[in-house]
Structure formats: C-alpha cells, structure tokens
Amino acid sequence: MLTTINFRSQPLLLTGALAALFSVTGCNLTEIEPVLDPNNAIIESVLTNASQAQINALAVGLEASLRLGHANNSSHNRVLGTLGREVTVQAATESRWYYELQGRRGATQLPVIVLDDAAFYNGQYTDFARVGRAARVFRASAAGSPVLDAAQKRGIDGFTRTYEALSKLHLLNLQGENGIRVGLDGVTVDELLKPGKFVGSPEALTNIRQQLDQANTDLAAAGAAFGFPLSGGFAGFNTPATFIRFNRALAARVSLYQGDFAGTLTALNASFYDRAGSLTLGPKMIFSPTTANDVGNPYFQASNALLSSLVSVPDNFVTEAEPGDQRLAKAPRRTTPQVVGAITGTYEAQVFPSQTSPLDIIRNEELILIAAEARVGTNDLAGSLLDINAIRTRAGNLAVLPAASLSGAAAYRDEILAQRRYSLFYEGHYLVDLRRLNKLSAPPVVSPAIGARPAQTLAYSTTPYKLFPNLQRPAAEKAWDIANP
C-alpha cells in the first residue's frame, strides 16, 4: 500500500505510484492487466475506502502515465514526426524508423504497402490506453473514498475525465481513420473483458468532446480547491477554476478537428487564449532525471553528438522557412552531417535544450493558431490576420503580413498551416494537420508560396518513399475482435 509520495519539487514518479497501483507486466493492447491474485487485490484495495495517501498516489500516477507514450522506444512525437516528415530517426540499430515508416522495404527500396500492425512503433498505443485506465481507476476510487467530500469528488471526476479524453485524443491522432475504442468504462478485470467496439474518427471526436464537456461541468461544481496535489507542471492551473481553462483549451483543439469553428471560438473564450499573452503559458509534463524513478525529457539530444539514434530534420524545413524566422533555432545545422540509410542528416532537432525541459500538453501559442483557423471558418479574416501576425512577429520575429498578401480563405489556411509547421514543430501536430486538411494526397507540394515564404513541401514523399496517414490498428486489437465478435 502506498503511504508516502514525495512532492519535493514535485517530480512525477513513473515507476512508483503508477507501477505499484497497476502492476502492468507486459504489452496488452486491450488494457486487461495480468494479475497473480485472482481477486485483483491491488486494484480492489483502492476502489473502496481509499485513504488520502492513496488518493494522492493515484493523482501522481495519472499525471505520470501521460508521459509513458513519450518516454519509450516508440515515442509519440518521433512516430508522428516521422510520418509527417518533420524528422528522421537515424537509428543505427533499428532501420525501420527510416525505411519502413518512410515507405521503403529496407535497402532493396521495395515499397511498403501497409505498415506492420505488430511493430515496435505501435508501442505507445498501449501506453496511452493506460492513461485512460489510470483515470477510470482514480475516479472510481474517489467515489468510494470516505476522506473526500462531494465537491472534491466532483473535482476528481473533472480531472480524470479531462485526462481520459486527452488519452483518447492521443490514440486517435495515431490511428486516424482507423478510429478507437470509446466504450471502456470499467476498471475491474471482468469489466475490461467487455470493451466497446471501435468507432470511426468523427464519432470518436464527438465522444472526446462530450467527455471534456462533462468534465467541465464537474469542475464547475468542484469548489475552490482539489482534494489532491498536482505537480509543478500545472502551476497556474491547479485549482478547479483554473483547470477549467486547460479543459476548455483541449475542447478548442477537438472542436477545430471537428470543423466546428463557432464551437472552437466559444471554447477558446473560456480557455487561457491570449493573443498578447505569453506564448509558453500552459500546463506541462515535467521531468527530473536526477530523481530516483523519474526520467529526463525523452526528446532532448546533445548538440552535434555522434548519436546511435540521431533525430535529424529534413533540409526542406530550413530551406522553406521565411528568411529570418527565429524558430529555425529548433533545427540547427550539425557540424558534421550524419548519414544512415542513404539519408543525410544535415540538421538536427533541438526543440528541448535539456533533460529537464518541460513538454507542453497545450500552450497559448497553439491556441492563437487555433483561433486564427477558427476565425477563417467563421469568415472573420481580419481577426484571423491579427492572430497570424501575433505568431509571425512574436514567435518567428517576422514582419507583419499585409492582408493584400492573402487572397481568400484558402490562402489564410495555407499561411496558418505554415505557421503551425514552425511553431509546433516536432510536437505531434503536423501529421494530424496534413491529414485533416487533406494535404497528404498530392505530395510533395503542401501549399504555395506566400509573400517572402517559399512553397511548403513534404520530404521523402515520392518514389521510392511513401506517405502513411496513420499507423495500423494493433494486431492484438484485431485478434481480440475476431475472438470476441
């Protein structure tokens, strides 16, 4: 039983609270945890009469669980970045990063028709599924705990539903048109043996948005304070009232993906969107590699090092940037290019300067870009241009773009996509953007030149390379549905 959680500088203990409470011992894609005790005593011990120490541990475990899909050998941003041609993982011991995920069958250059549904690069599917499981266990445990009052339980309802929705969104971003399971409401083994069927992307987005909206309602009834501590990554968002702003920011992202532009703007108005505010404002995942059982930022890499798994950046990211764009600091030129698999890594990803650099869950810079796109969808081009220029001048140190440079809504969307490419580089967004805006169908040109900015293209997108819009549904999920029609 967990009785002590060390919140000194508030690190998230990946293998402490989470592992002790869930005892997951392997890759199980249907979220059924193998247990030695047929009565599932570890889970049952928190589902009824959970102590305050256990409630705190569950909160720590839920926060930590979101990092699992990043801190593994098939990390979320690397997979989506590879599929979206933002980066190339030049791994000396794993050629599937730069062959298979780019559509080539090894050095033979034969085409890959479909991606492997049991490959290592689908590993984060299980990790993000565990986030939803951790959220449901926390919510059920809070409901049966005598140490929480009604308002505190509503706070946990809102907190966990927000995290569960976020886990589904991560899964959907990886799976795309394959869709995801949404009927995963149970916490016991018997309940987990009856998962819901898969639904397509539109229905999944509807479910995610509904869950965020329910969480918003819960948080509004949660009183002045949560009944558990949050990590330092939620500074400024650690009360029910301020956490709502985070919840509404996620709702704005989902609404944009749905094409509900009026709903997007409504959610933004209740979020922390601020055209003149700090671009870095927002909740974050934090890392403390010097703390026992914690990890460093998995996307950090030493500058100019001879790495066995270098994350390089295609040349066109640099050559297609507008002259003077300060966001190119994320992709500096290497002193010595690294060549693996006939790919020359001249530039390297340097988005995170150290192992302790936080990883944004969502930040104001993205919200401003969401607002710009939503305003185009509501025919407020003047308002959209204000948001576009806020990003250009403040994030890119570029000149203001005059309205005369943009001819019609399509040109605005192309400019916004380009700004998203550079502002949100290597953060798991670009493939999703290309997919939802139907930009993957006619490579390599993504959008034409506008003003001083060159045309945008996709690297490694023509023969012998091939683009994939998403990963395959995992083999274990397919097998489960065959065995359980």
Side-chain angles (χ1 to χ4, degrees):
M1 179 181 297
L2 291 174
T3 57
T4 302
I5 297 295
N6 180 9
F7 272 85
R8 183 183 56 176
S9 76
Q10 304 212 35
L12 299 180
L13 307 180
L14 276 171
T15 59
L18 190 66
L21 285 168
F22 297 108
S23 301
V24 181
T25 59
C27 294
N28 194 314
L29 300 179
T30 55
E31 297 188 284
I32 302 170
E33 67 169 17
V35 291
L36 298 177
D37 181 349
N39 295 317
N40 198 25
I42 293 176
I43 295 298
E44 294 300 331
S45 70
V46 295
L47 290 179
T48 56
N49 300 316
S51 67
Q52 186 64 58
Q54 289 174 317
I55 291 295
N56 292 349
L58 287 162
V60 172
L62 179 52
E63 267 201 72
S65 69
L66 186 61
R67 303 187 314 173
L68 292 175
H70 295 280
N72 64 18
N73 68 344
S74 62
S75 53
H76 178 265
N77 293 8
R78 287 183 180 178
V79 172
L80 289 181
T82 299
L83 294 177
R85 300 304 189 259
E86 293 182 284
V87 299
T88 299
V89 181
Q90 296 182 277
T93 59
E94 184 47 87
S95 64
R96 285 177 290 180
W97 277 111
Y98 52 84
Y99 280 137
E100 201 165 300
L101 286 172
Q102 291 187 345
R104 300 181 293 165
R105 186 68 68 188
T108 64
Q109 302 291 296
L110 293 174
V112 174
I113 305 304
V114 294
L115 292 174
D116 187 346
D117 59 7
F120 78 94
Y121 46 71
N122 233 340
Q124 74 286 102
Y125 184 96
T126 303
D127 295 324
F128 287 121
R130 289 178 187 171
V131 180
R133 175 81 194 283
R136 292 189 294 275
V137 169
F138 188 11
R139 188 160 63 246
S141 298
S145 174
V147 302
L148 301 169
D149 62 30
Q152 290 172 326
K153 291 180 180 182
R154 289 296 295 274
I156 291 174
D157 288 346
F159 178 77
T160 56
R161 287 192 171 105
T162 299
Y163 259 82
E164 189 173 0
L166 184 58
S167 75
K168 291 177 182 176
L169 187 59
H170 276 83
L171 289 170
L172 186 61
N173 287 346
L174 292 159
Q175 287 293 304
E177 63 183 13
N178 291 334
I180 58 173
R181 295 188 194 274
V182 296
L184 293 165
D185 299 323
V187 295
T188 67
V189 170
D190 286 342
E191 291 169 332
L192 292 172
L193 288 170
K194 302 172 183 177
K197 297 297 182 181
F198 278 87
V199 299
S201 180
E203 188 176 343
L205 286 171
T206 296
N207 175 271
I208 293 167
R209 186 170 171 186
Q210 288 172 343
Q211 192 158 38
L212 288 170
D213 289 346
Q214 178 59 55
N216 183 42
T217 299
D218 294 330
L219 292 163
F226 283 121
F228 57 91
L230 278 77
S231 76
F234 277 91
F237 299 91
N238 54 10
T239 68
T242 53
F243 194 87
I244 282 176
R245 300 170 69 204
F246 165 55
N247 172 282
R248 292 296 84 192
L250 294 177
R253 181 193 285 172
V254 174
S255 299
L256 183 75
Y257 290 178
Q258 291 179 298
D260 178 5
F261 302 117
T264 301
L265 293 173
T266 297
L268 283 173
N269 287 336
S271 75
F272 54 95
Y273 159 76
D274 183 353
R275 187 184 290 152
S278 170
L279 297 179
T280 61
L281 179 66
K284 309 174 191 307
M285 289 173 269
I286 58 174
F287 303 91
S288 181
T290 59
T291 300
N293 298 323
D294 209 324
V295 297
N297 186 317
Y299 302 114
F300 163 76
Q301 59 181 2
S303 177
N304 282 308
L306 294 176
L307 302 172
S308 61
S309 189
L310 172 71
V311 179
S312 66
V313 181
D315 293 358
N316 71 331
F317 180 79
V318 175
T319 60
E320 293 169 7
E322 196 164 333
D325 194 328
Q326 66 183 9
R327 290 168 292 188
L328 287 182
K330 301 174 184 180
R333 178 184 287 270
R334 287 178 56 81
T335 302
T336 303
Q338 190 160 311
V339 181
V340 178
I343 292 176
T344 300
T346 303
Y347 303 93
E348 63 184 15
Q350 289 291 342
V351 179
F352 304 98
S354 76
Q355 286 190 306
T356 58
S357 297
L359 186 62
D360 291 300
I361 303 174
I362 191 168
R363 67 177 183 275
N364 190 39
E365 187 170 0
E366 181 187 348
L367 297 185
I368 296 171
L369 288 161
I370 288 174
E373 190 172 340
R375 294 191 206 283
V376 174
T378 57
N379 203 33
D380 178 13
L381 298 185
S384 177
L385 188 58
L386 290 174
D387 289 314
I388 290 171
N389 280 327
I391 294 298
R392 287 177 56 85
T393 58
R394 301 181 60 221
N397 196 31
L398 299 172
V400 168
L401 192 67
S405 298
L406 300 171
S407 178
Y412 275 81
R413 292 191 181 97
D414 284 338
E415 176 63 18
I416 292 165
L417 178 59
Q419 296 307 316
R420 288 180 66 90
R421 180 187 188 188
Y422 289 93
S423 276
L424 306 179
F425 168 70
Y426 193 33
E427 295 183 46
H429 294 280
Y430 197 51
L431 175 71
V432 179
D433 291 339
L434 294 170
R435 189 171 62 209
R436 66 186 178 84
L437 295 172
N438 298 315
K439 296 289 189 178
L440 291 171
S441 58
V445 176
V446 172
S447 60
I450 293 177
R453 176 179 57 73
Q456 306 289 287
T457 67
L458 283 173
Y460 312 123
S461 59
T462 57
T463 305
Y465 302 94
K466 179 180 177 180
L467 293 167
F468 296 100
N470 48 258
L471 297 176
Q472 286 289 299
R473 181 175 297 169
E477 289 282 29
K478 295 176 182 178
W480 176 268
D481 281 348
I482 291 172
N484 300 274

